[in-house]
Amino acid sequence: MTLSLSVIVLAAGKGTRMKSRLPKVLQPLAGRPLLAHSLESIAALKPEKTVVVVGHGADEVRTAFASQKHLDFVLQMPQNGTGHATQIGLAPIADGGVTLIVSGDTPLINTQTLADLAALANDETFALLTCHVADPTGYGRIVRNAAGDVTKIVEHKDALAAGDHATLAITEMNTAIMCAPTAWLRKALTKLTPKNAQGELYLTDVIAMAAIDGLKIATAQPAGGETEIAGVNDKIQLAALECAFQHQQAEALMRDGVTLADPHRIDVRGTITCGVDVFIDVNCVFEGEVALGDNVTIGANCVVKNANIAANAVIHPMSHIEGAAVGEGALIGPFARVRPGAKLGAEVHIGNFVEVKNSTLAKGAKANHLAYLGDATVGERVNFGAGAITANYDGANKHQTVIEADVHIGSNSVLVAPVTIGEGGTVGGGSTVTKDTAPGALTVARGKQISIANWKRPKKP
Ligand code: UD1
Ligand code: CA
C-alpha cells in the first residue's frame, strides 16, 4: 500500500549572501525563480499537499506563485531554523502518511530522486537523501555507527565549535531532503531545542531521535550526484548551477538529434521543442515556449522568445524574434527584429534591419532591407522596398495598413495608415501614401522633380 505523500518546501530563509533585494528563492535560474524549479519536480509527484514555508519576502514569493492554486503557503516569522520551519509547515498536513521535506534553494533536484526517496519512507522508516562530496564544508555530516547505520547529523558549525575533526572529515553530507512518517515527525519536532552553535531549531536533530525511537533510517543518493542537490547561497553558486543546468538542457537537445555548434554556448530559459535536423549556431538564447520545425537553422547570436518557427526556415545571425510565427522556408535576418503578433507565411523574406510587429505577411512576401511593418496585412508576393514604412501610429491610436497581393512598394515610401494598396499596384519610391489606391494602379506621391540646367552653386566671397 502506498502511503499518502505531502511535501514541505522550506523557503523562509533570507539568503543574505545573495546581496539582493529579491528573496533568494525568487532569484532566477534559466529565467525562472529558483523555487519554480523544485516546485515543478515536486508537482510531478502529485502529492496530497504541497506546503511552502515563507518568511523573508513572503508576499513577493506568494505573488510569484499565485497562479499555482495547489500550493499552501504558511508564514514562518521569525525564522528559528529548519526544524521550526518544518513544525509550521506541518500544520496543514494530516497524520497518517509521510512528509517529504525539500529546501527551496535546491533547484536541480529531480522528480525521480524524490519519488525513490519517498517510496522508502513508511511508518517505521525515515528516509534520508545523502551525498558523498569532495568538499563537505558548510554541510551537515551524516554520522554512522560501526554497523553502518545512521545515528545522527552534525552541522558543520557545531563540529567546528566542538573541534570534532573526526566528524568534519566525514564526506557524506546531508542534502536536507528527507521523508518521514508524518505523525512521528510532528511529535519529534516538539522536542527540538536550540542548544547548538546557531541557536536554532535544527530539523537535522530529528535524525538522532529517529535512531533512538528505533525507526529504520534508510538512505539514498541522488542519481545526478552533487549537481542535483547543490544548494544556492550566493551569486557564484547561482552562476555555477545555471551553467550546469544549461549544459543538461544542451545535452537533452543533442540526444534528441539537434546539432549544436557549441553546447556551452546556448541558453534555454523555458522550453524548446525541435524537429529533426535542426541546427543551432553559437550564442543563441531561447526564452519561453519555442518550437522549431524540421531542418530549421538558427544563426549565431539570435534571441528567440515564445515563437514558432516552421520547417526549413533559416534565421540568419543577430536576429531577434519574439511572440511570432515564422512560416515554412522563410528567411529571416541577419539583424531582423520580428516582434509580437508577427505572422510570417511560407517563404517570406525579412532582411537586415527590418522590423515587423503585429502584422501578417502572406506566402512569398518580402521586405529585404531597412523597413518597418506594423499593424499591416501583407498579401502574397508583395515586395516592400528598402526604407519603406507603415506609419501606423497617429500619436494616439494604431491604424491598419493593407497591402494586397503582388504589390510593389518603392523604397523610402511612407504608407500612412489606415490605408489600402490595391492588388498588383505599384507605389513609386519616396511616396507618402495617405489615400487608398486602386488595384493595378501606379501611385506616385512626392514632389515632382525639377532640374535647372547649368546651375551655379553659391561661392564663398
Ligand atoms: C541545511 C542543513 C544541512 C544541510 C544543508 C544542505 C539544517 C540545520 N541544516 O543547512 O545539514 O547539509 O541544508 O543544503 O537543516 N529555512 C527556513 N526557515 C528557517 C531556516 C531556513 O525556511 O528558519 C529554509 C531556507 O530558506 C532554505 C532551507 O531552509 O531554503 C535550508 O536553510 P539554510 O539556512 O540554507 O540551511 P543550511 O545552512 O544550508
Ligand atoms: Ca542552504
Side-chain angles (χ1 to χ4, degrees):
M1 195 200 83
T2 45
L3 289 159
S4 90
L5 172 71
S6 293
V7 181
I8 299 175
V9 185
L10 306 184
K14 186 162 182 208
T16 316
R17 283 170 286 171
M18 283 290 171
K19 300 198 174 151
S20 169
R21 279 195 200 95
L22 199 62
K24 172 155 87 170
V25 292
L26 295 185
Q27 297 285 331
L29 180 86
R32 293 193 303 152
L34 283 179
L35 186 57
H37 292 268
S38 41
L39 286 178
E40 189 179 289
S41 300
I42 290 164
L45 301 169
K46 300 200 166 43
E48 198 106 308
K49 260 191 196 301
T50 303
V51 181
V52 183
V53 182
V54 289
H56 276 282
D59 289 342
E60 269 178 274
V61 179
R62 274 184 224 254
T63 306
F65 294 94
S67 65
Q68 301 200 18
K69 302 289 180 211
H70 66 285
L71 299 176
D72 277 303
F73 289 94
V74 297
L75 186 68
Q76 184 200 16
M77 199 70 91
Q79 291 80 35
N80 288 337
T82 50
H84 178 233
T86 309
Q87 261 174 11
I88 290 170
L90 272 178
I93 296 173
D95 286 344
V98 294
T99 296
L100 175 69
I101 301 150
V102 180
S103 289
D105 65 350
T106 322
L108 300 193
I109 187 69
N110 94 45
T111 300
Q112 196 55 50
T113 301
L114 295 177
D116 292 347
L117 188 76
L120 291 175
N122 55 45
D123 287 341
E124 289 87 39
T125 312
F126 191 113
L128 182 62
L129 190 72
T130 73
C131 190
H132 293 274
V133 295
D135 178 12
T137 306
Y139 288 123
R141 306 297 207 283
I142 307 296
V143 179
R144 294 176 183 268
N145 63 18
D149 297 325
V150 175
T151 56
K152 61 179 173 177
I153 293 176
V154 178
E155 287 303 298
H156 182 91
K157 281 185 183 154
D158 293 277
L160 208 60
D164 180 354
H165 298 291
T167 298
L168 288 171
I170 297 171
T171 56
E172 186 181 13
M173 53 75 90
N174 170 33
T175 65
I177 296 168
M178 51 189 87
C179 191
T182 305
W184 178 87
L185 181 64
R186 198 188 307 276
K187 267 193 217 127
L189 288 168
T190 63
K191 298 178 210 155
L192 292 177
T193 61
K195 288 182 206 143
N196 53 53
Q198 301 184 76
E200 290 181 348
L201 301 180
Y202 287 171
L203 171 61
T204 44
D205 285 349
V206 302
I207 306 299
M209 296 182 195
I212 290 164
D213 284 358
L215 287 187
K216 180 170 183 269
I217 300 172
T219 56
Q221 280 74 42
E226 224 171 300
T227 312
E228 199 187 328
I229 48 79
V232 181
N233 297 311
D234 60 25
K235 295 282 170 77
I236 295 168
Q237 290 172 332
L238 184 62
L241 229 54
E242 176 79 33
C243 195
F245 184 61
Q246 291 302 346
H247 201 66
Q248 283 177 9
Q249 295 190 115
E251 286 189 343
L253 286 173
M254 293 187 290
R255 246 179 260 120
D256 282 348
V258 175
T259 303
L260 299 180
D262 182 352
H264 296 285
R265 285 185 287 168
I266 174 173
D267 284 82
V268 180
R269 301 173 191 153
T271 53
I272 175 169
T273 54
C274 295
V276 295
D277 293 322
V278 165
F279 172 75
I280 301 174
D281 211 332
V282 298
N283 293 333
C284 292
V285 179
F286 298 92
E287 297 179 59
E289 305 266 323
V290 173
L292 307 180
D294 295 348
N295 282 311
V296 163
T297 293
I298 309 284
N301 300 309
C302 287
V303 176
V304 182
K305 180 174 184 177
N306 296 321
N308 208 313
I309 298 177
N312 302 313
V314 178
I315 313 297
H316 289 294
M318 322 287 174
S319 294
H320 191 287
I321 299 177
E322 176 179 0
V326 175
E328 259 192 69
L331 303 179
I332 311 295
F335 297 99
R337 179 161 185 221
V338 182
R339 293 173 53 198
K343 293 188 189 69
L344 312 182
E347 290 152 46
V348 159
H349 292 186
I350 298 296
N352 40 273
F353 307 106
V354 173
E355 175 178 346
V356 182
K357 184 217 79 172
N358 194 33
S359 294
T360 301
L361 276 69
K363 185 175 177 185
K366 294 183 174 68
N368 271 324
H369 347 253
L370 301 156
Y372 173 61
L373 280 159
D375 305 302
T377 304
V378 179
E380 291 190 4
R381 296 171 300 278
V382 162
N383 195 312
F384 198 75
I389 68 151
T390 54
N392 58 325
Y393 185 52
D394 62 12
N397 301 296
K398 302 277 169 64
H399 300 284
Q400 291 289 322
T401 300
V402 177
I403 305 171
E404 292 179 352
D406 297 301
V407 161
H408 279 215
I409 305 288
S411 291
N412 251 21
S413 294
V414 179
L415 308 183
V416 182
V419 69
T420 295
I421 311 297
E423 185 174 341
T426 302
V427 171
S431 293
T432 297
V433 182
T434 55
K435 292 192 289 257
D436 292 356
T437 69
L442 166 66
T443 303
V444 183
R446 62 185 183 227
K448 268 212 157 59
Q449 179 173 331
I450 52 164
S451 294
I452 296 170
N454 301 318
W455 172 253
K456 300 277 182 294
R457 278 193 296 271
K459 282 196 171 75
K460 277 192 177 151

